[in-house]
Amino acid sequence: MQALAAACDGQTVVLGVGLSVTRALGVTVPGLRDFPQLPDARPTIPATQHALWLWLRGDEPGDLLLRGHELQKLITPDFTLMQAIDSFLHQDSRDLTGYEDGTENPKDAAAIEAAVAQGQGACIDGSSFAAVQQWLHDFPTFDAMTRTEQNHCFGRDRDSNEELDDAPESAHVKRTAQEDFEPEAFVVRRSMPWVAGADAGLVFLAFGKSFDAFEAQLRRMTGHDDGISDGLFRFTRPLTGGYYWCPPLAGNAIDLSALG
Ligand code: HEM
């Protein structure tokens, strides 16, 4: 873990630690838990928790692959690569359906307040809790909808990005409106589209000062609060789901002191 942390700078590589690692080390990171099992979720939400999550960031896919190999060498054979997803930014931060993603993200100080732990203890402050899900889009189903139906899945107009007054209660932005939760449920989303051959969708990624805001949104999307499922499920579904704790930075280095 120390060797891995030394190779992660929080910018070009983001490190996320799963609960099984802290358990194996005999330490507790307050707030770190496994991705929830949600038996009452409609539709079903898979939990595919792993020990580590690494987000490699850069412009050139070949460089990213080779950097990934270097990181793997540092942690083999203790950790085995379970999944790698190539993701990218599409146009001006749009989902592959054409809808702009990230509009309602908190900004500047509000983003830090939403996404970075503060006042939770020396080893935890400055860290972040990342929820990651790979979603697979069903493009034939989406393409068969009228533009109005598509807009109603999201609750926004695709071309103007305006919120729709007449959107149904199932509309995604109505399900997830961050100020409508008690307490308010703000997160910083950094989702990116992915393509693998003919399959494609979105890697949903949200950073929070805890997992609570994401989990409240996910529960409302899956009908836990009022029996209404999110309109997005008409054309997309998650394949994976994991929770990872991103340790704080001390200078340019990752501070793993919470792990003992
Ligand atoms: C394939 C999956 C998803 C797609 C394509 C998607 C797309 C979008 C789009 C286009 C918006 C409107 C613009 C914006 O404010 O960003 C939005 C808003 C939002 N989404 Fe998603 N989203 C997905 C999954 C999720 C999930 C799983 C969550 C959390 C559990 C989530 C949480 C949010 C939040 C918090 C907002 C802002 C709501 C507000 O305060 O107005 N999204 N999403």
Side-chain angles (χ1 to χ4, degrees):
M1 289 302 293
Q2 292 293 357
L4 180 62
C8 300
D9 58 5
Q11 284 293 332
T12 58
V13 193
V14 178
L15 167 67
V17 177
L19 182 66
S20 62
V21 170
T22 57
R23 279 222 181 107
L25 294 171
V27 296
T28 302
V29 169
L32 176 59
R33 55 184 187 262
D34 277 340
F35 195 87
Q37 305 283 341
L38 297 173
D40 297 328
R42 297 288 176 273
T44 308
I45 300 295
T48 57
Q49 185 66 53
H50 296 304
L52 292 178
W53 166 70
L54 288 166
W55 182 21
L56 278 66
R57 305 173 70 217
D59 295 328
E60 218 267 281
D63 286 346
L64 289 169
L65 177 88
L66 299 177
R67 276 167 49 203
H69 290 172
E70 293 303 315
L71 292 170
Q72 268 177 266
K73 278 186 210 157
L74 296 174
I75 54 177
T76 300
D78 302 290
F79 295 92
T80 307
L81 182 64
M82 301 300 289
Q83 193 190 17
I85 310 173
D86 288 322
S87 59
F88 52 89
L89 287 175
H90 173 54
Q91 296 179 349
D92 48 347
S93 200
R94 282 173 195 265
D95 178 63
L96 293 172
T97 51
Y99 287 82
E100 191 177 308
D101 194 10
T103 312
E104 292 295 333
N105 265 338
K107 306 207 167 41
D108 304 322
I112 293 170
E113 158 66 24
V116 180
Q118 292 163 76
Q120 298 188 29
C123 305
I124 307 299
D125 287 356
S127 69
S128 191
F129 294 82
V132 192
Q133 287 179 306
Q134 181 184 24
W135 289 67
L136 174 68
H137 290 357
D138 175 347
F139 285 96
T141 298
F142 184 76
D143 292 342
M145 292 183 206
T146 63
R147 177 54 50 79
T148 303
E149 286 176 305
Q150 294 174 343
N151 285 344
H152 282 179
C153 288
F154 286 92
R156 280 186 182 265
D157 180 78
R158 192 179 85 166
D159 299 326
S160 69
N161 197 27
E162 292 295 319
E163 245 181 289
L164 302 172
D165 294 334
D166 62 346
E169 282 306 311
S170 58
H172 181 53
V173 299
K174 285 205 172 173
R175 296 282 97 199
T176 54
Q178 297 161 100
E179 63 282 351
D180 283 2
F181 290 84
E182 179 54 46
E184 291 184 338
F186 282 94
V187 292
V188 173
R189 287 168 290 131
R190 285 283 183 269
S191 306
M192 294 170 84
W194 64 274
V195 175
D199 291 334
L202 187 78
V203 181
F204 175 86
L205 169 58
F207 291 98
K209 59 187 171 193
S210 78
F211 296 124
D212 295 352
F214 165 80
E215 210 165 297
Q217 295 164 8
L218 186 64
R219 292 177 67 86
R220 192 165 287 174
M221 284 176 69
T222 51
H224 284 82
D225 294 350
D226 53 12
I228 301 173
S229 296
D230 197 299
L232 289 186
F233 291 116
R234 291 185 64 188
F235 72 90
T236 187
R237 63 188 170 93
L239 303 175
T240 70
Y243 275 175
Y244 301 95
W245 176 66
C246 303
L249 288 169
N252 288 331
I254 287 188
D255 175 7
L256 279 190
S257 48
L259 303 188

